[in-house]
Amino acid sequence: MVPADTRIDIERFWATIERSAEIGPGRPGGLSRLALSDADKQMRDEFASWCRDGGLSLRIDGIGNIFARRAGTDNGLPPVVIGSHLDTQINGGRFDGIAGVLAGLEICRSLDAIGHRTRRPIEVVNWTNEEGGRFSPPMVGSGCFVGAYPLDWARGRMDDDGKSIGEELARIGYRGEMEPTPHAFDAYFEFHIEQGPHLDREGMQVGVVTGGYPSTGMLVEFRGETAHTGPWPMERRKNALVAGARLLVAVDDLGWQYAGSGGKATAARLVAWPNKPGILSDWAQAVCDVRHPDGETAAVMAERMRRAIGESAARAGCTAEILDSWNWGGDIFAADLVDEIRANSLAFGYRTKDIHSQAGHDAYFVARHAPAAMIFAPCRNGITHNNLELCTRDDLEPGLNVLLQSVLARADR
Ligand SMILES: [Zn+2]
């Protein structure tokens, strides 16, 4: 039996965070480690070598998800899985996602240090392209794993330079042979920074995540006609850039209308072609999303966003098509895992709070496949997707200890 006060080694964990923070540097203090870039490859290589050094066996699936397994005493049983993502936004921080993957490694190292072999195997997973910062949609690796996205479709997603996920996986040596068909998980735990201000503001040490804000995102394409910006009559203009701009303003307005009850709406991205002075654009793509703590209200917001697409296109004389849409959130996490996390946190004496995630996470997809839960650590002022994202050892250690005990309880039963 492992003593209930067994803890992780925060200095050892911190050293892996610091090494990761050197790979793909962005603005000062931050990271710019886009999915399947050279920096992502370098980080994957580093992670894989740490795993091999720890005696973990590695497998890579067809969408580049990396699974590192620590054997149990009964390897016929499904593993307890810990995971998150090593890719970052273009102006990302050092902790978002990364802390969750390296947490899994630290759990294995902590068990090695006390010479404990769990009954069930433990797996650490790095999911491909969680951020969606280079390839849309986000959370492609975990979505593919659970069958939400077909493998061929996912591999065909392209970045702004016309490079596909499949080509880039092959280029960096991470296009595995294994079909991303889901092998059974006993349970899935994801440790993540909160990415919001609540835990930090309230002096809480551990966030017990009970679910996520129901969210709907869309990739919308507008088609119009190029023409001269001078002589062409207003009533004949089909400016796709304007259609996209109208949509994004409408979506932002939606966010303000629901802000009082906790709603959010995001105008995330607009690209257009030719997007030059002197000519009207005949093509535009926009990415937008809505989210709300209440599921029914979130659905109303999504419907209003959908209506805004048609209205924006019509006002600009264009046509619109929703190329892709994604949904996640709700009270999807497993009650017994959530209870386990809360009980372990309270047993350590940590200031503990139940919380909803407002961001998307791989755990949302995994929850379709296996019992899943998340543990949040506070981050300074909630700043994230920003090079100033900041956590200290003290911010991270409580959640990691709770993760260790929760994984042990699950893996040894
Ligand atoms: Zn993340």
Side-chain angles (χ1 to χ4, degrees), residues 112-134:
D112 289 346
I114 58 168
H116 181 72
R117 189 139 307 271
T118 52
R119 180 165 178 247
R120 293 163 196 275
I122 292 175
E123 269 185 18
V124 185
V125 53
N126 170 46
W127 302 108
T128 293
N129 187 50
E130 190 274 347
E131 292 290 2
R134 180 178 176 196

Side-chain angles (χ1 to χ4, degrees), residues 22-225:
E22 297 170 352
I23 301 174
R27 289 184 181 168
L31 284 171
S32 188
R33 198 159 70 205
L34 292 176
L36 314 184
S37 62
D38 290 350
D40 187 23
K41 173 196 165 42
Q42 198 188 340
M43 185 63 224
R44 285 164 173 261
D45 290 349
E46 186 78 47
F47 170 66
S49 96
W50 284 336
C51 290
R52 279 192 214 96
D53 289 348
L56 308 182
S57 54
L58 287 167
R59 284 185 309 161
I60 296 156
D61 72 14
I63 196 68
N65 298 319
I66 304 174
F67 298 89
R69 176 180 281 231
R70 185 179 191 268
T73 58
D74 188 346
N75 291 305
L77 294 172
V80 173
V81 182
I82 307 158
S84 198
H85 58 96
L86 294 169
D87 69 322
T88 78
Q89 289 283 337
I90 197 160
N91 186 29
R94 286 170 284 162
F95 304 95
D96 172 6
I98 298 156
V101 179
L102 300 182
L105 182 67
E106 176 55 33
I107 299 304
C108 295
R109 289 175 168 182
S110 298
L111 296 178
D112 289 346
I114 58 168
H116 181 72
R117 189 139 307 271
T118 52
R119 180 165 178 247
R120 293 163 196 275
I122 292 175
E123 269 185 18
V124 185
V125 53
N126 170 46
W127 302 108
T128 293
N129 187 50
E130 190 274 347
E131 292 290 2
R134 180 178 176 196
F135 303 98
S136 187
M139 304 184 297
V140 154
S142 51
C144 221
F145 178 76
V146 303
Y149 302 129
L151 177 60
D152 286 346
W153 181 88
R155 281 178 170 171
R157 299 304 90 205
M158 293 214 267
D159 71 2
D160 289 346
D161 300 324
K163 291 182 181 146
S164 71
I165 287 182
E167 284 163 10
E168 286 294 274
L169 279 171
R171 184 184 69 82
I172 67 166
Y174 281 89
R175 185 161 67 184
E177 293 305 316
M178 190 171 91
E179 279 286 308
T181 42
H183 56 285
F185 288 4
D186 176 71
Y188 175 78
F189 291 96
E190 187 162 344
F191 172 75
H192 208 287
I193 64 169
E194 183 203 339
Q195 303 186 283
H198 299 95
L199 297 177
D200 185 42
R201 195 161 57 204
E202 296 166 35
M204 293 290 159
Q205 293 169 289
V206 173
V208 181
V209 187
T210 55
Y213 276 32
S215 308
T216 302
M218 290 178 184
L219 169 66
V220 185
E221 186 169 81
F222 296 96
R223 297 275 181 186
E225 261 175 28

